[in-house]
């Protein structure tokens, strides 16, 4: 069991993204022909034949709007894969951190209650994946200023999931 709760994109935000994304583009669904596109709605890889979409998402902007934060220049948006139609969300029986594989590089970016970056670190996912993520998040939340952390892929800079202060 992970020590922290990886959060998918909120269902209300997903409903909006399935119409118009955070860059103002209409959603363009397509049938998945491969496997493994990291779906941020249910925190798992895609499967062939699923109807998915690649949309622009601004996680910090949406968090700030809900909490009264003001990220200013730290507001950014980027591509994420989602199911093009509503899904059940993450499987509650699935343990561990999503999109995790030993050797993959992730950033764990820390934000304060205003939405400003207050630190971060590079994480090379170890063989004991959960322990590696737990240690990086323990380090992040040891700073009382940290309100949330975003986990992103280094290769593409894509947002993977958010973790809020427990």
């Amino acid at each position: 069991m992970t020590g922290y709760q990886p959060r998918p994109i909120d269902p209300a935000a997903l409903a909006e993204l399935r119409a118009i994304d955070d860059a103002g583009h209409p959603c363009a669904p397509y049938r998945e022909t491969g496997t493994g596109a990291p779906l941020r709605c249910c925190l798992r890889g895609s499967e062939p034949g699923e109807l998915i979409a690649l949309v622009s998402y601004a996680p910090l902007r949406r968090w700030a709007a809900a909490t009264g934060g003001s990220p200013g220049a730290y507001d950014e948006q980027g591509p994420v894969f989602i199911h093009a139609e509503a899904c059940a969300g993450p499987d509650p029986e699935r343990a561990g951190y999503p999109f995790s594989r030993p050797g993959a590089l992730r950033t764990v970016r820390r934000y304060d209650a205003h939405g400003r970056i207050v630190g971060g670190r590079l994480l090379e996912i170890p063989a004991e994946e959960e322990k590696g993520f737990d240690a990086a998040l323990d380090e992040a939340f040891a700073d009382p200023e940290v309100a949330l952390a975003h986990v992103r892929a280094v290769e593409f800079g894509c947002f993977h999931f958010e973790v809020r202060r427990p």
Side-chain angles (χ1 to χ4, degrees), residues 7-122:
R7 297 172 61 99
I9 297 175
D10 181 76
L14 287 166
E16 293 173 5
L17 294 170
R18 289 179 178 121
I20 302 292
D21 73 11
D22 287 344
H25 301 115
C27 185
Y30 65 94
R31 290 274 170 211
E32 173 66 287
T33 57
T35 58
L39 298 166
R40 279 37 166 250
C41 49
C42 54
L43 301 181
R44 67 166 176 82
S46 63
E47 297 178 8
E50 289 188 295
L51 190 62
I52 65 173
L54 182 61
V55 298
S56 185
Y57 176 57
L60 196 58
R61 180 184 317 156
R62 288 180 175 272
W63 172 84
T67 63
S70 179
Y74 294 107
D75 178 31
E76 57 186 326
Q77 64 191 36
V80 295
F81 291 97
I82 62 173
H83 277 115
E85 298 170 338
C87 71
D91 178 352
E93 300 297 317
R94 180 181 225 133
Y97 291 95
F99 322 122
S100 179
R101 66 186 190 315
L105 299 175
R106 300 288 182 260
T107 61
V108 179
R109 195 175 298 161
R110 307 166 192 170
Y111 297 92
D112 68 12
H114 301 288
R116 289 178 280 222
I117 294 174
V118 292
R121 70 167 290 199
L122 178 65

Side-chain angles (χ1 to χ4, degrees), residues 18 52 59 69 71 75 89 112 127 132-133 143 146 153 156 161:
R18 289 179 178 121
I52 65 173
D75 178 31
D112 68 12
F133 272 107
D143 179 345
V146 175
F156 303 106
F161 59 91

